[in-house]
């Protein structure tokens, strides 16, 4: 199969070329001869996007999402590989659950799904999960996402143990005692709404702790969904002195501020919370200067019943797979912050590198995982169009640029606009 006459996003720049696929791999990038193909004139071809932080809710919360619906949302959003967090029921803390997820994903047959194992049994923060067994079953990292491991000694042991298996810890950073029931960022907007605030320090203290552990153990660590200006600065300083840290953020942290909570729309409730303008600008600067390596969705689909309740009672989370690419392209590339190759780096190459996944760049011999988008296409976010079961987005009605037209996995078209 040949994808003809596309604007191809290579690491070194954007070139007009044909991409030839054979046996599920990229056979050539350049001028192809005559032959069957898909005309990609006017379209832009990226390395298949990789989202290293999603919640698929399966097993246990299939009312919110399941592996098939989540995979459909992923390919519609342009993702060829996704990594799913372990806060399922039962928790993904053993090889049986890991195997279940992989089998369901294979049956869905859409994108590649890589499970992430829990750090502790049942995410209870008491004893380490069966990390070796999960690694053998196919996890690509461990994480306690949804919370932090509160006991520092246990977290240090987790990092040591994980490194024996060549795994990284992906750290959701939140000091539970400081959050103390806060549901939004503490600041002017929490005051005017009367919603209980949570200070930046609740996130920053655990970011700093994980950086200290990584530095003292000489091990790599990855910081999840950075939302604070001060967290960005902690990571920037740690990188400068050689700490092996990588970090991610999400479209909502560089697009929205806590001003959005004044509507009391529970779709703005997310953890960590939307912060203030100086945080949003620092997150953008962190992406620009390389402090923040990846853009992830933290796709957190919820059922209407979990969101159509009073703000304090609503679930935390945003359904992000179907808006991430367009929000990132619109905000960062059209906004003049990142080039297309840099966007591809944040949404594909770096996640692959951090987790040791195949793919992430367009080169001959690589798996033919491709995301083909119409960057000129303007569209309006409408949760009714989501194929995810989670319709919970704070972006409803927003106009964005960049529509995924084809998502190709191992040379097969898994999503097509037409
Ligand atoms: O907003 C969030 N939702 N943050 C998390 O850390 C967990 C996630 C979820 O599982 O719903
Ligand atoms: Zn999290
Ligand atoms: Zn998460």
């Amino acid at each position: 199969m040949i994808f003809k006459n596309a604007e191809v996003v290579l690491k070194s720049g954007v070139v007009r070329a044909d991409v030839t696929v054979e046996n599920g791999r990229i056979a050539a990038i350049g001028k192809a001869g005559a032959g069957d193909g898909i005309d990609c004139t006017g379209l832009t071809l990226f390395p298949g996007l990789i989202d290293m932080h999603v919640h698929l809710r399966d097993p246990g919360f299939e009312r919110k999402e399941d592996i098939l619906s989540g995979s459909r949302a992923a390919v519609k959003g342009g993702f060829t590989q996704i990594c799913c967090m372990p806060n399922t029921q039962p928790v993904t803390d053993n090889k049986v659950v890991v195997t279940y997820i992989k089998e369901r994903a294979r049956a869905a047959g859409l994108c590649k799904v890589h499970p992430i194992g829990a750090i502790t049994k049942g995410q209870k923060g008491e004893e380490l999960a069966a990390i070796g067994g999960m690694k053998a079953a196919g996890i690509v990292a461990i994480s306690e996402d949804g919370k932090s491991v509160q006991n520092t000694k246990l977290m240090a042991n987790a990092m040591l143990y994980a490194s024996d298996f060549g795994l990284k810890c992906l750290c959701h950073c939140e000091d539970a005692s400081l959050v103390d029931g806060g549901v939004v960022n503490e600041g002017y907007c929490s005051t005017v709404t009367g919603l209980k605030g949570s200070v930046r320090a609740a996130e920053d203290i655990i970011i700093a702790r994980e950086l200290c552990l990584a530095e003292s153990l000489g091990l790599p660590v990855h910081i999840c969904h950075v939302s604070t200006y001060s967290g960005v600065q902690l990571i920037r300083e740690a990188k400068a002195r050689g700490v092996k840290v990588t970090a991610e953020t999400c479209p909502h942290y560089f697009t929205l501020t806590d001003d959005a909570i004044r509507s009391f729309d529970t779709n703005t409730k997310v953890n960590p919370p939307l912060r203030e303008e100086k945080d949003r600008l620092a997150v953008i600067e962190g992406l620009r200067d390389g402090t923040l390596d990846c853009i992830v969705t933290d796709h957190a689909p919820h059922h209407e019943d979990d969101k159509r309740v009073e703000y304090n009672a609503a679930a935390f989370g945003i359904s992000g797979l179907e808006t991430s690419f367009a929000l990132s392209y619109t905000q960062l590339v059209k906004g003049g912050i990142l080039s297309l190759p840099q966007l591809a780096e944040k949404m594909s190459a770096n996640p692959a590198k951090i987790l040791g996944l195949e793919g992430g760049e367009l080169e001959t011999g690589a798996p033919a995982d491709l995301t083909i988008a119409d960057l000129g296409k303007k569209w309006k976010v409408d949760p009714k169009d989501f194929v995810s079961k989670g319709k919970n987005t704070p972006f409803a009605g927003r106009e964005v640029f960049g529509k995924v037209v084809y998502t190709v996995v191992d040379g097969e078209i898994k999503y097509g606009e037409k």
Side-chain angles (χ1 to χ4, degrees), residues 28 46 95 98 127 193 255 267 284 347 358:
F46 291 84
K95 62 177 194 255
V98 174
E127 50 180 325
T193 55
T255 310
N267 291 319
I284 290 173
M347 298 190 77
E358 226 194 341

Side-chain angles (χ1 to χ4, degrees), residues 25 50 81 112 114 352 355-361 365-367 369 410:
R25 297 207 167 242
I50 303 174
Q81 306 195 60
K112 298 167 190 173
H114 306 288
L355 296 176
L357 305 175
E358 226 194 341
E361 268 172 47
D369 290 352
D410 288 332

Side-chain angles (χ1 to χ4, degrees), residues 237-255:
E237 287 164 4
K239 282 193 169 184
R241 65 176 187 275
V243 180
K244 292 178 219 156
V245 55
T246 53
E248 61 183 44
T249 191
C250 315
H252 39 277
Y253 300 121
F254 58 74
T255 310

Side-chain angles (χ1 to χ4, degrees), residues 145-375:
D145 192 51
K147 54 178 127 174
S148 294
V149 175
Q150 300 296 315
N151 183 304
T152 305
K153 174 71 181 165
L154 189 59
M155 189 61 196
N157 282 342
M159 285 187 192
L160 282 166
Y161 201 57
S163 87
D164 286 342
F165 294 102
L167 295 169
K168 278 179 195 157
C169 294
L170 315 182
C171 303
H172 169 116
C173 297
E174 175 179 3
D175 181 301
S177 67
L178 260 186
V179 171
D180 191 28
V183 293
V184 295
N185 180 64
E186 178 159 306
Y188 177 77
C189 293
S190 65
T191 304
V192 297
T193 55
L195 294 170
K196 188 167 160 60
S198 172
V199 290
R200 292 183 183 87
E203 179 173 347
D204 297 343
I205 283 169
I206 303 292
I207 293 177
R209 182 193 74 168
E210 314 303 43
L211 295 172
C212 290
L213 287 175
E215 185 164 20
S216 99
L217 298 171
L219 293 174
V221 73
H222 178 82
I223 306 296
C224 290
H225 43 51
V226 178
S227 74
T228 64
Y229 78 87
S230 32
V232 174
Q233 185 59 11
L234 285 166
I235 294 162
R236 181 179 290 123
E237 287 164 4
K239 282 193 169 184
R241 65 176 187 275
V243 180
K244 292 178 219 156
V245 55
T246 53
E248 61 183 44
T249 191
C250 315
H252 39 277
Y253 300 121
F254 58 74
T255 310
L256 299 174
T257 65
D258 62 349
D259 199 50
I261 71 167
R262 296 172 70 173
S263 63
F264 292 96
D265 176 0
T266 58
N267 291 319
T268 63
K269 183 173 173 182
V270 63
N271 186 23
L274 300 175
R275 306 278 184 189
E276 296 177 346
E277 183 64 2
K278 72 170 165 185
D279 302 284
R280 193 184 73 84
L281 294 174
V283 164
I284 290 173
E285 180 55 23
L287 285 165
R288 203 195 56 73
D289 76 4
T291 301
L292 302 176
D293 304 272
C294 311
I295 298 167
V296 303
T297 59
D298 196 7
H299 178 70
H302 287 292
H303 192 271
E304 203 185 340
D305 294 354
D306 307 315
K307 283 290 195 181
R308 277 185 62 167
V309 291
E310 191 249 323
Y311 204 98
N312 285 302
F316 288 97
I318 292 172
S319 181
L321 282 169
E322 292 164 79
T323 53
S324 180
F325 173 75
L327 288 168
S328 302
Y329 171 70
T330 305
Q331 198 72 20
L332 303 174
V333 180
K334 280 190 87 74
I337 309 296
L338 299 181
S339 64
L340 287 175
Q342 287 169 328
L343 183 69
E345 195 177 32
K346 308 280 184 201
M347 298 190 77
S348 186
N350 286 345
K353 224 178 279 169
I354 289 165
L355 296 176
L357 305 175
E358 226 194 341
E361 268 172 47
L362 295 172
E363 50 197 5
T364 53
D369 290 352
L370 317 172
T371 301
I372 301 169
D374 180 350
L375 298 181

Side-chain angles (χ1 to χ4, degrees), residues 102-125:
K102 288 188 65 110
E103 280 179 2
R104 278 294 162 100
R106 197 173 305 124
L110 294 169
C111 58
K112 298 167 190 173
V113 176
H114 306 288
I116 295 164
I119 296 177
T120 71
K121 283 185 186 157
Q123 291 191 289
K124 287 195 166 73

